[in-house]
Amino acid sequence: MEAVKPYKKGADYSYTLGAFPTYELIAGKKEKVRGVYVHSQYTDKENIVSTCKAGNIPVLTDDKLFNKISEKENCYVIGVFDKYEDIVKEDTSHIVLVNPSNMGNLGTILRTALGLGIKDIVLITPCADVFNPKVIRASMGALFKLRVQMFESFEEYRSRYKKQEVFTFMLNGENTLEVQNCPKTELFSLVFGNEATGLDDSYLLVGTSVCIPQSPEVDSLNITIAVGIGAFLFTHCGK
């Protein structure tokens, strides 16, 4: 296997930092794993080695690599994998993120979506690099159990996926989203905007615009919180 270098978006591979996301990588995308590096001081080496052997995955040792590519002092396992492309399903509900730019937020949203049972995520570019190790770490490896597909525009996405009823989350949304009035729909696309700018007013004309009620003492909710609230309501109250 070629030498692992600090992450670059244009590379054809990426890596997990830490044991837990590496286990999730092996569980979700075993066929994409090039190899797993285990630090000589890792105390649970037996388990990761046996997991790798069961999946016919090479186990490698290079303590200097950890200092070179990991900013975390407690990182003792690195999983290297080939990047891949996903296609979201036509008969499931989707979360659509328009131009998400913060890697930590994106990773947290991926983890939240998986926790609420939504496994199909659409990213409208330009957006944060979903394969950046910071995104993977924030998702705690949830990325490898999801289908994440990128589109150049919302229109391109919508032209290919028409079964889902669209709900755009906006501060000036026409419908206040409450537990008691959450729309009941079998398939939905929940659309959220950029952390800084949200969705522009053109999205008022797309599907049904909704707003999450909040105190007037804050300008807006953090995008991760908004996605969590919206996804919870639609998966638990809208059925």
Side-chain angles (χ1 to χ4, degrees), residues 115-129:
L116 293 173
I118 300 176
K119 293 188 175 183
D120 292 271
I121 312 298
V122 170
L123 303 180
I124 306 300
T125 61
C127 63
D129 177 11

Side-chain angles (χ1 to χ4, degrees), residues 31-184:
E31 72 282 359
K32 299 297 182 181
V33 184
R34 293 186 180 184
V36 172
Y37 286 87
V38 180
H39 197 282
S40 62
Q41 296 181 3
Y42 186 49
T43 57
D44 195 25
K45 187 174 182 179
E46 184 177 339
N47 282 333
I48 190 68
V49 169
S50 63
T51 299
C52 289
K53 284 185 177 180
N56 199 29
I57 297 169
V59 177
L60 307 146
T61 301
D62 182 356
D63 287 3
K64 292 182 180 180
L65 176 66
F66 290 81
N67 295 327
K68 185 168 66 174
I69 70 173
S70 176
E71 300 175 357
K72 302 288 186 179
E73 294 182 359
N74 63 341
C75 178
Y76 295 104
V77 177
I78 296 172
V80 184
F81 66 94
D82 292 316
K83 291 181 180 178
Y84 54 89
E85 294 184 0
D86 281 324
I87 298 177
V88 295
K89 288 188 174 182
E90 295 184 4
D91 57 352
T92 62
S93 293
H94 303 163
I95 288 177
V96 180
L97 305 176
V98 179
N99 312 133
S101 60
N102 184 282
M103 291 184 287
N105 285 347
L106 177 55
T108 300
I109 289 170
L110 296 179
R111 187 181 182 188
T112 300
L114 182 62
L116 293 173
I118 300 176
K119 293 188 175 183
D120 292 271
I121 312 298
V122 170
L123 303 180
I124 306 300
T125 61
C127 63
D129 177 11
V130 73
F131 288 120
N132 189 295
K134 293 180 180 179
V135 175
I136 297 169
R137 191 170 183 115
S139 82
M140 290 302 289
L143 169 66
F144 307 116
K145 294 182 177 179
L146 300 170
R147 291 172 290 273
V148 181
Q149 186 174 1
M150 288 176 281
F151 293 86
E152 292 185 359
S153 68
F154 180 79
E155 291 73 23
E156 180 190 4
Y157 158 71
R158 193 58 180 159
S159 69
R160 293 177 58 180
Y161 294 91
K162 301 177 180 179
K163 293 181 180 180
Q164 291 76 11
E165 187 173 350
V166 174
F167 297 89
T168 56
F169 283 69
M170 309 176 67
L171 289 176
N172 57 342
E174 296 181 355
N175 304 276
T176 301
L177 186 63
E178 305 274 6
V179 172
Q180 62 272 20
N181 72 353
C182 183
K184 292 178 170 57

